[in-house]
Amino acid sequence: MPMVRFDGVSKSYPGGKEALSKVSFELARGEFAFLTGHSGAGKSTLLKLMLQMERPSKGQVFVDGDCVNTMKSSQVPFLRRKVGVVFQNHQLLFDRTVYDNVAMPLLIAGYQPAEAARRVRAALDSVGLLGFERRNPIELSGGEQQRVGIARAVVNKPQLLLADEPTGNLDPELSEEIMKLFLRFQQVGVTVLIATHDIALIERMGHRRLILDHGTLHDSGTLHDSGPRAGFERGDHVRT
Amino acid sequence: MSAPDSPKRQTANAPRKPQAGASTHKISIKDRLNGWAQQHQLVAVETLMRLLTKPLGSIMTWLVIAISLTLPGAMWMTLDNLSQLSNRFQASGSMSVYLKTAVQNDQAQQMLSRIESMDGVADVRFISADEALAEFRASSGLGEALDLLPENPLPGVIVVEPELALPQQDVIALADTLRSESRVDSVELDTAWLDRLHALLALSERIVWVMGALLALGILLVVGNTIRLSIAARVDEIRVTKLVGATNAWVRRPFLYTGLWFGMVGGLVSWILLAIGWALVSGPVEDLAALYGSEYRLLPLSAGAALVLLLGAMLLGWLGAWWSVVRHLHRIEP
């Protein structure tokens, strides 16, 4: 069972703009892939579909074997606990400490405070921010804030890690550092999908690439055999 | 509230390599319940501290709730006292025993001493027909017209004062006994004013309920509005928590507790206001009662009523928060 499967997924917004058309692909468990494309190609929409932040107009989205688009809203929180997300604007809360930001998914999931504290320290350690617990995220640099966001995304040990332009605001060196961090999570079994338009970085790192062009998907191929990828074949005739 | 928030089981066959420092992902049911209870406790304390450490934002809400509660509370206290007082009056209704015109004064005097020795009679007084006429002549101003009457048309009257503590049914029984006397024409129990008082009390009670209901609605609206503002101020936080897997119950919880605390603080402030009001009024009431030769004391709000007031306030605060949360939270999605 693949970690993620998109099956003929289209998404159009009211007003007729089609963000995704007939996108199909699979991500195997433990796979590491990039999602690229120009601004507005539909990268964010694709990620949001996996968290039921959006629902597809057509087709089906599966995460960990569960169909996301038909999932009852009462089940959505439990889906989101399995998926760590990192945003370009990192979505940290500046009215509380780094510790409280990172611990939030654990408190929500009902962890005991002692266990939560241990995991928060482990997560901060993994992003190189041990000792930053009592700081306010607003005092931190862009790269550090991004790493706090990553720590929050991985603190609950998600099976799937999604990142939307995680290096968007960072210089090349920091970007590479962040990418290496994501690779380390893949090495311990996490499925990772990173949306980015930083082509140079992707070229240096290799790995599978899913390329979105005006809502249609082209797959660069992958080390894993992850089944038919209809998006590639259908890519040409969908734009109107 | 919905089921405890808990991490869903992870698929066991996921090909994961062991991670340094990672222990099992599963949480036992006992730990979940503990975590849930702890979460409630944490949220309860946190929301209360937030209110108490930053009272400026919510002090108006507290006062509005307190005043909305104090008004019906004070009316309730007043009615409570009036009905206590009227219970005392019930027994003290004096009765007028009208004798037949043929009864002579010395026969009336005999009756007087007999009635005086009856159970439950505190005092008796005889007003002879002549005295009654003289009194009527003086008070009516019909002096010369009355002289034209061939004889005195007024009967002699014995005024009977029952004992203060005598229950009403015994007073009525006493009246019936006197009515059956052969020399008695009729007995009038002076209760009409009491009936009127009771009707007035019942009406006032109804008014208190209607006012209370309106003010309760006001509390709902005020708490609802305050919670709406507090939701608006925490939109970012709500989005982030939902994004990392918060259930709706989890997101609602702090707001519901905030509503509960609003109600509680408002209820306590209203207790204080009622106590101050009671202290201000009870002195003069005692003075007034003393002038009437009574040892009547103004009763404070009973413990039961005070508890109902506080719990009702908490319930209203919670409901107001619920109403607001249901209307506004679902619109905030990541």
Side-chain angles (χ1 to χ4, degrees):
Chain A
M1 184 171 57
M3 188 67 223
V4 175
R5 186 155 74 90
F6 273 56
D7 198 359
V9 173
S10 299
K11 172 70 184 178
S12 29
Y13 288 103
K17 186 186 178 300
E18 195 167 41
L20 294 174
S21 50
K22 295 180 182 163
V23 169
S24 298
F25 71 94
E26 289 186 356
L27 277 180
R29 288 177 186 276
E31 195 174 354
F32 188 103
F34 287 110
L35 178 64
T36 66
H38 58 93
S39 300
K43 300 192 294 288
S44 296
T45 304
L46 193 146
L47 294 183
K48 284 177 178 173
L49 287 171
M50 284 184 260
L51 293 162
Q52 215 200 69
M53 290 162 77
E54 306 267 9
R55 285 176 195 254
S57 316
K58 272 183 217 148
Q60 288 184 307
V61 178
F62 294 91
V63 171
D64 196 20
D66 297 326
C67 185
V68 173
N69 45 298
T70 58
M71 189 177 268
K72 273 192 278 178
S73 58
S74 61
Q75 282 306 311
V76 170
F78 302 100
L79 164 75
R80 290 177 182 163
R81 290 177 199 184
K82 285 197 286 202
V83 183
V85 209
V86 180
F87 291 95
Q88 180 179 2
N89 61 355
H90 50 66
Q91 301 261 23
L92 296 177
L93 296 172
F94 293 137
D95 63 348
R96 59 199 73 195
T97 61
V98 167
Y99 180 94
D100 289 337
N101 269 281
V102 176
M104 186 182 280
L106 299 178
L107 292 182
I108 287 169
Y111 281 80
Q112 298 287 305
E115 172 69 4
R118 208 178 57 73
R119 282 176 186 254
V120 171
R121 275 195 301 277
L124 284 175
D125 193 22
S126 70
V127 298
L129 288 178
L130 204 55
F132 281 62
E133 288 96 327
R134 296 286 142 229
R135 304 273 291 276
N136 186 304
I138 209 160
E139 308 163 11
L140 306 182
S141 70
E144 286 165 339
Q145 288 180 347
Q146 195 55 274
R147 283 187 283 160
V148 174
I150 295 170
R152 188 183 64 196
V154 300
V155 72
N156 202 8
K157 296 202 169 66
Q159 294 164 288
L160 174 62
L161 184 56
L162 304 177
D164 192 5
E165 302 284 359
T167 60
N169 297 326
L170 307 178
D171 61 48
E173 269 173 57
L174 270 174
S175 300
E176 193 144 351
E177 216 176 284
I178 297 279
M179 287 303 173
K180 281 179 184 161
L181 197 54
F182 283 122
L183 269 179
R184 283 218 297 280
F185 290 114
Q186 189 234 345
Q187 281 156 15
V188 297
V190 181
T191 311
V192 182
L193 179 63
I194 298 171
T196 179
H197 58 253
D198 192 344
I199 303 296
L201 186 72
I202 298 170
E203 307 254 292
R204 277 205 301 283
M205 291 185 64
H207 295 286
R208 180 180 172 192
R209 282 164 67 179
L210 302 165
I211 304 155
L212 272 174
D213 182 19
H214 294 97
T216 57
L217 187 77
H218 308 268
D219 201 325
S220 75
T222 168
L223 301 172
H224 304 265
D225 179 17
S226 42
R229 287 180 293 280
F232 185 69
E233 286 89 37
R234 294 173 190 167
D236 301 324
H237 54 87
V238 275
R239 293 295 304 163
T240 48
Chain B
M1 296 274 166
S2 75
D5 305 329
S6 55
K8 214 187 175 190
R9 42 114 201 108
Q10 289 224 325
T11 322
N13 58 2
R16 301 182 67 184
K17 296 170 195 169
Q19 188 170 349
S23 58
T24 168
H25 204 95
K26 285 179 179 150
I27 300 179
S28 75
I29 288 178
K30 184 168 166 265
D31 277 352
R32 281 186 204 178
L33 280 178
N34 278 343
W36 185 70
Q38 268 176 2
Q39 224 278 312
H40 268 269
Q41 212 177 338
L42 194 75
V43 172
V45 172
E46 217 175 66
T47 48
L48 185 61
M49 291 316 284
R50 203 189 280 245
L51 286 191
L52 294 179
T53 51
K54 291 177 185 163
L56 281 180
S58 44
I59 209 158
M60 293 304 265
T61 307
W62 297 352
L63 287 179
V64 170
I65 296 172
I67 291 166
S68 304
L69 291 168
T70 305
L71 282 175
M75 284 180 70
W76 187 256
M77 199 163 87
T78 311
L79 282 183
D80 227 22
N81 275 288
L82 281 180
S83 65
Q84 300 263 355
L85 209 57
S86 74
N87 282 341
R88 294 184 182 208
F89 287 146
Q90 275 180 354
S92 70
S94 62
M95 57 186 92
S96 307
V97 180
Y98 295 96
L99 304 175
K100 290 182 176 149
T101 38
V103 176
Q104 297 303 309
N105 276 359
D106 53 337
Q107 291 169 316
Q109 288 296 346
Q110 280 173 20
M111 246 185 101
L112 193 69
S113 50
R114 199 152 48 76
I115 294 171
E116 197 168 15
S117 65
M118 281 180 174
D119 277 347
V121 175
D123 193 24
V124 285
R125 187 158 50 91
F126 175 61
I127 302 168
S128 70
D130 294 342
E131 284 166 350
L133 186 64
E135 206 174 293
F136 186 60
R137 193 190 296 273
S139 64
S140 67
L142 296 173
E144 278 159 26
L146 290 175
D147 287 340
L148 298 173
L149 291 171
E151 58 188 33
N152 185 355
L154 296 178
V157 182
I158 297 174
V159 178
V160 180
E161 298 274 359
E163 279 172 8
L164 272 181
L166 201 64
Q168 197 176 17
Q169 64 265 31
D170 290 0
V171 176
I172 292 168
L174 180 65
D176 287 344
T177 314
L178 294 174
R179 204 169 279 132
S180 64
E181 294 269 338
S182 58
R183 287 168 185 158
V184 171
D185 186 38
S186 68
V187 176
E188 245 172 51
L189 205 52
D190 199 5
T191 56
W193 72 275
L194 258 180
D195 293 340
R196 280 183 213 122
L197 178 65
H198 281 151
L200 211 58
L201 283 178
L203 176 67
S204 312
E205 197 170 310
R206 189 63 61 87
I207 291 171
V208 169
W209 280 112
V210 171
M211 266 188 62
L214 284 175
L215 289 164
L217 193 65
I219 293 176
L220 282 183
L221 293 175
V222 165
V223 173
N225 193 47
T226 309
I227 294 292
R228 181 180 67 79
L229 294 176
S230 129
I231 289 172
R234 294 173 73 181
V235 166
D236 287 340
E237 185 183 343
I238 293 166
R239 286 219 175 90
V240 172
T241 52
K242 281 198 169 180
L243 200 57
V244 297
T247 57
N248 284 329
W250 199 90
V251 176
R252 276 197 297 265
R253 203 164 292 148
F255 298 107
L256 296 183
Y257 269 105
T258 304
L260 196 69
W261 298 138
F262 273 142
M264 193 188 76
V265 175
L268 291 174
V269 172
S270 134
W271 277 8
I272 295 170
L273 292 179
L274 285 172
I276 292 173
W278 177 78
L280 288 176
V281 174
S282 68
V285 165
E286 262 175 57
D287 293 346
L288 186 68
L291 290 177
Y292 280 95
S294 159
E295 285 181 15
Y296 178 76
R297 278 167 191 278
L298 193 66
L299 298 167
L301 202 63
S302 69
L307 202 63
V308 166
L309 192 74
L310 186 67
L311 293 180
M314 289 172 79
L315 181 70
L316 284 173
W318 187 83
L319 281 177
W322 180 268
W323 172 67
S324 185
V325 159
V326 163
R327 278 179 57 223
H328 300 289
L329 264 195
H330 70 95
R331 282 192 227 140
I332 305 169
E333 286 293 335

